[in-house]
Amino acid sequence: MVMELLAPAGSYDVFKIAINLGADAVYLAGQNFGARAYAENFNTEEIKKKRRICSFKQC
């Protein structure tokens, strides 16, 4: 059994911390959807940028 660390990231700062501390995956929500009411969340362009970062770091 392989375990994976999934980290929620409601802001860019939390996203960076999760990636730098070794999260295997990061949960991002868009501005019009998401489970956390007070998170900053990301617009479409920001989500695309985060995806490129994760692809580069293979997270």
Side-chain angles (χ1 to χ4, degrees), residues 15-46:
F15 173 82
K16 286 192 316 187
I17 291 167
I19 297 301
N20 290 333
L21 292 179
D24 297 305
V26 181
Y27 168 79
L28 303 176
Q31 291 178 329
N32 295 326
F33 58 92
R36 294 169 299 138
Y38 300 106
E40 294 175 26
N41 294 330
F42 302 94
N43 64 38
T44 303
E45 286 304 311
E46 291 170 326

Side-chain angles (χ1 to χ4, degrees), residues 15 28 46-56:
F15 173 82
L28 303 176
E46 291 170 326
I47 291 173
K48 289 177 183 178
K49 289 177 186 176
K50 306 310 178 264
R51 184 191 169 282
R52 285 194 293 272
I53 291 169
C54 281
S55 295
F56 177 72

